[in-house]
Amino acid sequence: MVLKITRKSKSKETVHYKSAKKILTPQDIREADRFDNALNTEIQEIERVLLKKNILTNEARKSDVLKAWYLIGVRINQFLKNHKVSPEEEKLFWDHLYGRSSLINKTIPTGKISKTRNDFRTASLLAHYPLNRLQKIGPWALWREILAYKSFKDERVLNWVLEKLEEFPPKTRNEARPFLKAVAARLKRMDTAVLNGRELSKKLDEVLKI
């Protein structure tokens, strides 16, 4: 598919169409425009819902940051079910969700955003879990940190980490950080995909003995 990229500056607005395809047809452009319009409509609806629930204010403040991003993730996931994004364009999609709402994001990142640090993608991942489980483990800031670790890409590792955090819920992100760093350090430069369940569990349990 093709994505419409709009960049705004103080003096002008520029529009580009990006795709993995080398040559774009008029039909590609029309489809990109339709997708972009649908996405903007969805973002406006998300704003409306958050404002109605008093989770977001007209001053761009979130009364419950985790719940706000969770609901954003739920809506974005539903949007993607109805509007498919190819794997080639996935990073572009997440990057260019920024700047569509001054309420959801008060400021727009000026530099490149890594996949693991993209708030919208993080919200999408969190929306696959029950909200009460997320709340039990910790605040939005902690979840951003958990999902930023490359070592936790293996779902088995992530589930183990979450189980341990549920057993002893940290009061703050800083309280959880030594444990998260210890797990990441133990698995550094390790391809956990080649480990079976028993082998992986043994390595993870070693963290608890440190």
Side-chain angles (χ1 to χ4, degrees), residues 45-179:
E45 179 60 16
I46 291 172
E47 282 184 347
R48 189 191 68 77
V49 170
L50 294 179
L51 288 167
K52 186 177 180 180
K53 290 178 178 290
N54 294 319
I55 299 172
L56 182 67
T57 71
N58 288 311
E59 291 75 37
R61 296 191 184 94
K62 299 178 181 73
S63 61
D64 185 330
V65 181
L66 178 60
K67 190 173 183 179
W69 279 109
Y70 181 82
L71 293 175
I72 291 167
V74 169
R75 295 294 299 244
I76 292 296
N77 288 349
Q78 187 58 49
F79 178 86
L80 289 174
K81 283 184 180 179
N82 301 323
H83 304 81
K84 300 298 181 184
V85 174
S86 66
E88 294 81 9
E89 275 82 35
E90 188 178 328
K91 188 177 187 309
L92 273 175
F93 171 78
W94 294 119
D95 286 351
H96 290 281
L97 281 173
Y98 286 97
R100 293 177 184 270
S101 167
S102 59
L103 295 183
I104 293 174
N105 292 107
K106 200 170 185 178
T107 58
I108 304 172
T110 54
K112 288 186 177 180
I113 310 161
S114 68
K115 191 175 181 180
T116 57
R117 290 292 182 184
N118 186 295
D119 288 336
F120 290 96
R121 183 176 176 275
T122 298
S124 171
L125 295 174
L126 292 186
H128 294 292
Y129 296 93
L131 178 58
N132 60 355
R133 187 184 187 198
L134 303 181
Q135 293 169 327
K136 179 181 178 182
I137 290 174
W140 166 252
L142 173 58
W143 279 102
R144 287 186 80 230
E145 181 148 346
I146 291 170
L147 296 179
Y149 281 96
K150 293 180 180 178
S151 306
F152 302 171
K153 282 184 178 180
D154 187 323
E155 193 171 318
R156 297 173 300 169
V157 175
L158 178 59
N159 286 336
W160 184 87
V161 167
L162 297 184
E163 285 172 7
K164 298 308 172 189
L165 290 175
E166 280 183 295
E167 288 178 21
F168 306 100
K171 293 179 181 178
T172 64
R173 176 180 58 174
N174 288 341
E175 189 176 306
R177 188 169 285 163
F179 169 67

